[in-house]
């Protein structure tokens, strides 16, 4: 792959500063860049590194200048970066067709342009859309539908009655549609409540590696369009994750949690069952969401409180030994004052 | 599947209020229910939704009434719900026999009624009990015994010397018998302590998706009868999880933790190595159990303290900025009082 | 396997106290040991158990004595324990050669002494070193190199462009090289930033079960020589984990975290993106590392503070209800003193 700066500028609606005929053969980091590589300069603090780098050109926003060097200037450099990276690095793909070692049930419907890898199991009633890819070792049990241009990586386990949209990516080791955690005590033991609902995953979703999305008890667990899950995210039964929400690594949603649109849950956050989190709300790392949260709030802690208040509380928390001492000193002072008053009254 | 209310009532030792010949064709939620569906009304707060639903009948406890509608009345409606759900939705099952793509070692003993899915590997010395099911992509290395009527879902990895009881369910992606985390420092590097014990999982256990249960260093890591693990639970080497305990998602037990019977660990709880948690104790979400806990306590925090005390501390924690300010104000006041006293003494 | 104490003593540079011809047939725990078993006595507190055990001999350090019994004395008994355990229990191993059900791409290079299990997929451009073992169900996509004597257990998923050193162990269910969590918002949705870097895992590394190590956006995510990861560890894109660091179960490193050498992160610790943790630093369980940490510190909490200070704060935290009450009492006292003064001034 080789492109001139002029060609790249056309692709990303940018302008060239410097030599439009300069040839770009790769997108690299500062440390790795050679004379024909393009490097992203996302913030002013990287300008020094840029000027010391031998990179062939820099991808910059409106306000940044790497003096005397070739630049590609765009309004949103990170977005342009995503575009040119994809140009130079097409996504991982399988060979076309169904691998001879795969097993596809006779009743499954596989689009001719779908790609099915080695040792994949596609069970009865499944359907695979055009251009979708199922990587080696993945299992689709029964009545699983996979939309067009969706990619499911290796060793993913999908139970029955799971619907996956188009343009979605599911990373390796994830489990979709296993039973929700539901039991009822009969006086002697916990009896399983059968989990007979389904899972519905929207379009343009990304599910990280080793995630778990449980099937609903009744009805459907939903992960809506544009949601991005990091690794190790747990979605309990009957949850609804609203459009374009971001769930960072190791987040756990208890059963029945409902997230609005554009919610962000930072790493290791957990939620109580059946709470709601409003549109656009941000929950900071490790928080325990024990009650519903209104839209567009930014919170921390367990129970979550307004984030800046939490920060102030944390600072004081670290000083608790001194504060406790100060309180005891004050108690003594006051006691002395009282004594003196009593003595003075004698 | 179609049953009359009379037939269902017999099955769950309930009584019919309304038309005993009413036909039920499914169990649904309020939103999804049609004229021939049965809906659980577990609490009085759902009575309004019930009366507005077009469901054919309601499953209720002794004290609830949906006026003018067909009802199935039982003493424990959630338990009855589990029973009728199972009736209408038999569990996921494989075709009988061993799938032609599976690999079963010659020395393995497979009961004629066991079902083995595609691309399953059953290693030397393994034994599979009657009616057990091993779903596609699962690996049983060596000397693994699986009890009767146990189900192991897809892409599960079971190392050697693991014993699994009967009527147990292991969900997809779980790993049983990988090495415990044990190393000894030799002055330059961490040297592996071989983990040569086994794992024993009891009867009627449920292991969630993507769990990890490590083998013991010596001896056996035990998960006893009736234990229910949610997804992403980590059980370290040489742990013992007592009968009927519940471990919610993302709980981690360090090596050598011993839980009594009927212990509940809520989501994201962690434990220190070698502690004991007594029978019936409940540890609330995200707690860090750094010391042993007596039976029948309910605790929160790290180290865990009595739960209601923890709640009060959390409330005050959120007010620490004001409390700190109040303390500083008070210090000034006292200083003024002291000054005045000194001045007065002049 | 049977060895005399004399033979074992030679192997571990120890001395025999008692009968050098005593025969040892196994290494056991106190409870399980029979007359020909060797038991480790790692601390003085186990001496009573030792003297009551029927074990044939005890492995002890310089200062411990089990009166009247056979002993193997060494300077580092835990290290000697690791050695003799390995002697009696060779590691799990596959049959030699490539299993007939495995799929190995024509362009892959497999050393004659490598062992490849059932249903393993080895993609184009992969190379497997001498004596390495790939257990059933594992997938190596493309251009994956595996060093000599490395073992990869079952159902592991390795994406393309991953380099794994020699003498390394990767446990079942782990995912190496899935995409880092990187998106850019285009005003309407989160657009994926292609993750086109690689992963490099060093020599003598151990990766626990169900771990995730993400590939770099550009460049390489590194897990260096001698690092030991427990289960469920998440390593984000572009992290560097320094030599011989220990990451306990359920630790999560955000993208770009850099750990020095011999760092220890206890269970369920999380880190913010792009921070650095210095050599030899210990972060206690459940901490949230929100800022960089200097070398050789021991910290707790979020943000982390010096561990002993954190412990004192935690103790006071549990007393916050009483402290708050004391503060309110004091406020009243001071108010009274002020009133009296005012009254006295009248």
């Amino acid at each position: 792959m080789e492109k001139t700066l002029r060609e790249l500028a056309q692709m990303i609606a940018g302008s060239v500063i410097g030599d439009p005929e300069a040839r770009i053969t790769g997108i690299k980091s500062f440390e790795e860049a050679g004379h024909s590589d393009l490097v992203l300069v996302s913030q002013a603090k990287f300008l020094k590194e840029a000027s010391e780098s031998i990179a062939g050109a820099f991808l910059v926003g409106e306000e940044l200048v790497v003096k005397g060097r070739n630049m590609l200037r765009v309004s949103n450099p990170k977005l342009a970066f995503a575009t040119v990276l994809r140009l130079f690095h097409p996504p991982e793909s399988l060979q076309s067709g169904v691998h001879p070692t795969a097993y596809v049930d006779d009743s499954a419907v596989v689009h001719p342009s779908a790609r099915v890898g080695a040792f994949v199991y596609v069970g009865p009633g499944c359907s695979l859309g055009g251009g979708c890819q199922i990587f080696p070792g993945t299992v689709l049990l029964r009545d699983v539908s996979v939309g067009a241009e969706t990619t499911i990586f290796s060793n993913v386990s999908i139970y029955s009655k799971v619907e996956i949209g188009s343009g979605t990516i599911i990373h390796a080791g994830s489990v979709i549609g296993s039973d929700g955690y539901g039991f009822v005590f009969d006086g002697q033991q916990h009896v399983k409540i059968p989990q007979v609902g389904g899972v519905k995953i929207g379009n343009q979703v990304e599910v990280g590696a080793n995630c778990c999305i449980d099937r609903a008890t009744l009805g459907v667990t939903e992960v809506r369009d544009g949601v991005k899950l990091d690794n190790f995210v747990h979605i309990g039964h009957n949850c609804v994750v609203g459009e374009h929400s971001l769930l960072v690594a190791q987040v756990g949603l208890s059963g029945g949690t409902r997230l609005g649109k554009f919610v962000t849950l930072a790493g290791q956050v957990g939620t109580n069952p059946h709470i709601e989190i409003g549109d656009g709300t941000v929950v900071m790392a490790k928080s325990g969401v024990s009650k519903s949260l209104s839209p567009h709030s930014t919170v921390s802690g367990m129970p979550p409180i307004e984030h800046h208040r939490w920060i102030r509380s944390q600072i004081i928390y670290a000083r608790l030994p001194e504060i406790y001492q100060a309180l005891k000193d004050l108690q003594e002072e006051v006691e002395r004052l009282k004594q003196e008053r009593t003595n003075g009254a004698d």
Side-chain angles (χ1 to χ4, degrees), chain A:
Chain A
M1 173 70 60
E2 184 180 294
K3 295 278 171 191
T4 63
L5 280 182
R6 183 201 309 278
E7 289 168 323
L8 290 176
Q10 279 170 355
M11 231 166 254
I12 56 177
S15 56
V16 178
I17 291 111
D19 176 11
E21 301 312 318
R23 289 170 175 188
I24 298 300
T25 60
I27 319 294
K28 293 282 170 63
S29 63
F30 290 119
E31 307 86 53
E32 297 182 317
H35 292 290
S36 64
D37 290 317
L38 178 71
V39 173
L40 170 68
V41 184
S42 59
Q43 297 176 53
K45 67 177 175 182
F46 297 120
L47 283 174
K48 183 155 180 294
E49 268 187 276
S51 65
E52 289 165 357
S53 148
I54 61 166
F58 300 94
L59 179 59
V60 298
E62 306 291 357
E63 71 296 347
L64 297 186
V65 177
V66 190
K67 278 184 198 158
R69 306 289 287 273
N70 292 327
M71 287 177 281
L72 257 180
R73 176 160 289 159
V74 291
S75 59
N76 186 338
K78 259 185 119 173
L79 192 58
F81 176 66
T83 305
V84 295
L85 264 184
R86 184 50 81 217
L87 176 71
F88 283 83
H89 300 272
E92 188 90 51
S93 73
L94 291 170
Q95 283 191 288
S96 53
V98 175
H99 196 276
T101 64
Y103 178 88
V104 180
D105 189 88
D106 287 346
S107 67
V109 177
V110 178
H111 190 280
S113 66
R115 296 166 182 222
V116 178
F119 312 121
V120 167
Y121 174 86
V122 180
C126 289
S127 73
L128 304 185
C132 81
Q133 300 195 82
I134 316 292
F135 276 71
T138 281
V139 173
L140 280 58
L141 283 187
R142 193 184 284 266
D143 299 324
V144 174
S145 73
V146 179
E149 306 297 332
T150 281
T151 296
I152 304 179
F153 282 101
S154 300
N155 288 321
V156 169
S157 301
I158 305 188
Y159 287 60
S160 62
K161 291 198 287 177
V162 171
E163 188 184 334
I164 300 169
S166 58
T168 282
I169 298 170
I170 297 178
H171 281 285
S174 283
V175 176
I176 319 284
S178 60
D179 288 345
Y181 191 69
F183 303 93
V184 50
F185 191 60
D186 73 356
Q188 297 194 299
Q189 58 187 330
H190 304 291
V191 174
K192 181 175 180 67
I193 297 175
Q195 305 289 309
V196 308
V199 174
K200 186 175 175 184
I201 295 177
N203 304 317
Q204 309 292 336
V205 170
E206 186 157 345
V207 174
N210 280 341
C211 285
C212 291
I213 303 176
D214 283 356
R215 67 193 315 105
T217 310
L218 294 172
V220 178
T221 303
E222 282 188 73
V223 177
R224 294 188 175 158
D225 293 355
V227 167
K228 311 295 183 187
L229 309 182
D230 201 342
N231 301 332
F232 290 122
V233 172
H234 162 76
I235 311 271
H237 51 157
N238 294 85
C239 287
V240 177
V241 182
E243 286 82 353
H244 308 295
S245 288
L246 302 175
L247 278 64
V248 179
Q250 300 174 320
V251 161
L253 301 188
S254 291
T257 302
R258 296 180 68 92
L259 306 189
K261 300 176 186 183
F262 291 106
V263 167
T264 299
L265 305 184
Q268 303 183 333
V269 163
T271 69
N272 273 29
H274 302 292
I275 61 144
E276 299 199 19
I277 300 181
D279 290 353
T281 281
V282 176
V283 182
M284 305 302 275
K286 285 186 173 283
S287 297
V289 188
S290 45
K291 52 173 193 185
S292 290
L293 297 174
S294 53
H296 306 293
S297 33
T298 299
V299 299
S300 285
M302 177 161 103
I305 57 178
E306 193 277 319
H307 180 59
H308 286 99
R309 169 171 283 271
W310 178 85
I311 286 178
R312 282 187 294 148
S313 285
Q314 277 301 93
I315 291 167
I316 295 167
Y317 170 84
R319 291 189 214 142
L320 279 182
E322 288 79 11
I323 289 171
Y324 185 48
Q325 188 58 50
L327 180 66
K328 287 195 295 187
D329 291 349
L330 207 53
Q331 282 174 321
E332 278 176 33
E333 294 265 29
V334 170
E335 198 51 41
R336 259 199 301 276
L337 284 170
K338 281 165 63 183
Q339 284 298 331
E340 286 174 11
R341 182 206 55 191
T342 314
N343 297 345
D346 283 346

